[in-house]
Amino acid sequence: TRRYWSHDKVAILDAQDNISSCLCNLGRHDEALVLRREVYTRRVATLGVSNETTISNGFNLSISLNEVGLQEEARTLVRDQLLPAARRSL
């Protein structure tokens, strides 16, 4: 169980996104993937799928999926969710 002291959900997601980037840079791709899935899911729930930050987190997730060998899942995420959301937000 994770505990948070802050009540600012966006700040928590920002911090978790930064941690996932650090994990990626350290080569800890499996751990980064778990955190990036959580961050993306919570961004969609709080900010919506067409939000610029949500889309950016989604592309980060696709990179992590690719890093651990889940290329088809990464492709599906980009093709079916991220590109349509990006087009709608233009």
Side-chain angles (χ1 to χ4, degrees), residues 7-47:
H7 296 287
D8 186 351
K9 292 179 182 180
V10 173
I12 293 167
L13 290 174
D14 289 341
Q16 289 178 322
D17 183 42
N18 290 337
I19 291 168
S20 71
S21 293
C22 291
L23 290 168
C24 248
N25 290 338
L26 292 169
R28 296 165 61 177
H29 299 291
D30 291 329
E31 292 171 85
L33 175 59
V34 170
L35 195 51
R36 283 184 168 172
R37 279 188 197 273
E38 181 180 331
V39 169
Y40 177 68
T41 300
R42 290 175 52 210
R43 289 270 195 213
V44 169
T46 57
L47 300 176

Side-chain angles (χ1 to χ4, degrees), residues 15-88:
Q16 289 178 322
D17 183 42
N18 290 337
I19 291 168
S20 71
S21 293
C22 291
L23 290 168
C24 248
N25 290 338
L26 292 169
R28 296 165 61 177
H29 299 291
D30 291 329
E31 292 171 85
L33 175 59
V34 170
L35 195 51
R36 283 184 168 172
R37 279 188 197 273
E38 181 180 331
V39 169
Y40 177 68
T41 300
R42 290 175 52 210
R43 289 270 195 213
V44 169
T46 57
L47 300 176
V49 71
S50 295
N51 178 275
E52 183 179 321
T53 305
T54 303
I55 294 167
S56 175
N57 287 148
F59 278 110
N60 288 341
L61 172 57
S62 72
I63 291 166
S64 287
L65 289 165
N66 195 53
E67 287 290 336
V68 298
L70 299 172
Q71 288 85 6
E72 188 56 39
E73 187 176 347
R75 227 181 334 269
T76 300
L77 174 66
V78 171
R79 182 185 60 233
D80 296 347
Q81 294 180 32
L82 301 177
L83 290 179
R87 286 186 186 110
R88 282 192 302 272

